[in-house]
Amino acid sequence: MTSAVTTDTSARPSYGQLLRTSGALGFVLPGFAARLPFGMLTISILLLVQHTTGSYGSAGIVAAVTGISMALSAPLMGIFTDRFGQTAVLLPVVLAHSAAVTGLAALALLDAPVWALALAAVPAGASVPQVGPMVRARWAAKLEGSPLLPTAAAFESVTDEFTFVVGPVLATALCTGVHPAAGLVTEATLTLLGGLLFAAQRASQPKTHAPSLTGEKRAFALSFPGLRVLIFAFLGIGAVFGGMQVSLAAFSNEIGNPGANGLLYGVFAAGNMIAGIAMGAIAWKIGPRRRLILGYIGLTAAASVLWAANSMILLGALGLVVGLCIAPALITGYTMVEQLVPANARTEAFTWLTGSIAFGQAIAVILAGRLTDGHGSSFGFLVPMGATALALTTLLALRAKLAPKAPSRIVNASAQEAAPAPAPAAPAPAQTQGKAQATARTTPSPASRNRVNERGMGHRVPVTVD
């Protein structure tokens, strides 16, 4: 259960103010520990399977099966989490994931065929714990209607990207300097320990939404058109991650320096992290829909020139720019969930977006792996270019569906449907009616108050919206 949060609406939202929110550190720190291994999974699979098979294409297939399995299972995990609670879902999931990843590593070391590795990758991906969406759901429940909510979304993006800075570098160091399977074994161990620690933080969990207990209609996140548009946009972001992972690894091998892969990917992720920090510190005067589109235009433009890089310095610089452009689109998309989806389906919504990234990453890993095997790393970079261009086109065509809607209205609407209609009031005397009409002229209606909240999100000076 969560409690209401009182914030100083006259103060500019900041990370310090966010972390001073009552009970925040109790789930932020364990949440970081539990999601750190996520940044190690794909690259560890790629490096291990490429080592045992000698093919980036085969490694890409196994990594892609992992990502697709995660993308398909993540929304279901979100539905169960919204209904039964985070701890009830997380405990069995982390145990299953650790066992599945350990089994996958063992099969790879035994030179199992690619089809066997792909089969083992199914439970490894399906059991990836959705800690990031769970943390975001805790923030959304704790900061409902607060101007700190966009700052929380930016903070979570920074945390995610920090894991993608540390994760690939750590996995690469372990796989190239210790043992090819060391990355996966470490990922399994950290997932188990971090997941159990996060699951133990019960006080900050959002309330469950079992219809039989609350009388509230069950909302499914995918029924909201704005979320479906965001899912397609996040497919392109996932394709950038997947295409970069394969192509940077291939480029590092082409220049005879495999260890450079972790450094190059770390620079790319660092750009995302830097932009995320800036996003959370800015009081935006343009609406989230426009921010999302502008950010995606920048991302598409930056991803379109990666294929032309012919040196480590140039590729590192371009990767930094791509990382800087991902954060505005990623953070804004996650922030818009609070406006587009009601509270009783929010964890599911976050898992759809996370799953969309994983699915886009998986498809990109397959395509980039094939192109890299046949033509070299420069062709692998064509995948992020094509995917972001397609997603941007779709985003522009369907941008009207991203119009903000207050989730509280959606929840209240379903509650009003379940509630009995009030009995008609007796006619008021003429004098009383006159006073009521005068009051109505001077008192803002609930709809107008909602419009102010949507625009300003708690600021004293309303923020312009798109």
Side-chain angles (χ1 to χ4, degrees):
M1 298 293 291
T2 57
S3 58
V5 176
T6 302
T7 58
D8 182 4
T9 57
S10 64
R12 181 171 179 159
S14 67
Y15 291 112
Q17 185 183 2
L18 177 72
L19 294 177
R20 287 194 297 271
T21 301
S22 175
L25 290 179
F27 66 84
V28 167
L29 296 179
F32 172 74
R35 70 219 285 189
L36 175 61
F38 183 75
M40 303 174 62
L41 182 60
T42 301
I43 191 67
S44 295
I45 292 174
L46 281 170
L47 293 176
L48 175 59
V49 178
Q50 193 279 331
H51 173 81
T52 58
T53 65
S55 169
Y56 280 106
S58 297
I61 290 173
V62 178
V65 170
T66 305
I68 292 172
S69 299
M70 183 194 122
L72 295 176
S73 69
L76 186 61
M77 201 178 296
I79 292 172
F80 288 152
T81 300
D82 281 327
R83 181 159 186 177
F84 300 111
Q86 296 184 359
T87 298
V89 172
L90 199 55
L91 289 176
V93 163
V94 296
L95 293 171
H97 181 73
S98 300
V101 169
T102 303
L104 175 59
L107 286 174
L109 293 176
L110 293 172
D111 294 322
V114 174
W115 67 264
L117 297 177
L119 192 62
V122 173
S127 59
V128 171
Q130 298 300 309
V131 177
M134 289 180 182
V135 174
R136 285 183 166 91
R138 295 190 188 211
W139 279 123
K142 189 169 282 290
L143 299 176
E144 181 107 31
S146 167
L148 283 173
L149 192 58
T151 306
F155 179 82
E156 287 307 306
S157 181
V158 171
T159 304
D160 282 340
E161 288 316 308
F162 187 75
T163 67
F164 278 103
V165 171
V166 176
V169 175
L170 177 59
T172 301
L174 290 170
C175 291
T176 59
V178 179
H179 189 276
L184 276 184
V185 173
T186 303
E187 190 275 344
T189 304
L190 292 178
T191 296
L192 178 62
L193 297 178
L196 293 176
L197 181 62
F198 180 75
Q201 312 305 311
R202 298 171 180 267
S204 56
Q205 289 188 72
K207 68 177 182 178
T208 58
H209 294 274
S212 60
L213 297 179
T214 64
E216 185 179 308
K217 287 188 175 181
R218 176 72 178 95
F220 289 96
L222 205 58
S223 64
F224 297 92
L227 180 68
R228 297 197 294 268
V229 177
L230 290 179
I231 287 172
F232 205 93
F234 275 47
L235 282 172
I237 295 175
V240 174
F241 287 126
M244 291 288 282
Q245 285 182 336
V246 174
S247 302
L248 289 176
F251 178 85
S252 299
N253 281 336
E254 289 171 1
I255 64 174
N257 185 8
N261 174 42
L263 176 61
L264 287 172
Y265 196 85
V267 170
F268 158 68
N272 198 349
M273 185 171 63
I274 292 169
I277 293 173
M279 285 283 295
I282 295 173
W284 293 98
K285 294 186 178 181
I286 60 175
R289 180 170 57 176
R290 188 173 300 175
R291 289 204 310 270
L292 177 63
I293 292 174
L294 291 176
Y296 223 104
I297 291 173
L299 175 60
T300 304
S304 297
V305 295
L306 285 169
W307 62 271
N310 55 11
S311 70
M312 184 173 171
I313 294 177
L314 180 57
L315 185 56
L318 290 176
L320 179 67
V321 174
V322 173
L324 290 170
C325 293
I326 282 182
L330 192 68
I331 292 171
T332 304
Y334 275 122
T335 303
M336 292 179 76
V337 169
E338 195 264 345
Q339 300 175 327
L340 298 171
V341 180
N344 65 348
R346 208 164 281 156
T347 303
E348 180 196 349
F350 287 133
T351 54
W352 272 109
L353 296 184
T354 303
S356 179
I357 293 175
F359 190 82
Q361 182 178 357
I363 299 302
V365 163
I366 293 176
L367 295 177
R370 294 295 185 183
L371 290 171
T372 297
D373 276 346
H375 307 285
S377 62
S378 60
F379 279 77
F381 287 120
L382 295 177
V383 175
M385 179 182 74
T388 52
L390 180 61
L392 175 60
T393 302
T394 304
L395 185 60
L396 290 172
L398 301 177
R399 63 186 182 276
K401 297 185 181 299
L402 295 172
K405 296 176 183 177
S408 58
R409 272 188 227 163
I410 303 173
V411 175
N412 289 340
S414 57
Q416 288 168 2
E417 290 174 7
Q431 183 178 3
T432 305
Q433 290 178 352
K435 291 181 180 179
Q437 291 170 356
T439 303
R441 288 193 296 268
T442 58
T443 303
S445 67
S448 64
R449 287 197 296 269
N450 283 339
R451 285 196 295 271
V452 172
N453 287 340
E454 286 177 11
R455 293 172 60 86
M457 293 187 71
H459 292 281
R460 290 186 174 180
V461 179
V463 179
T464 304
V465 296
D466 185 272

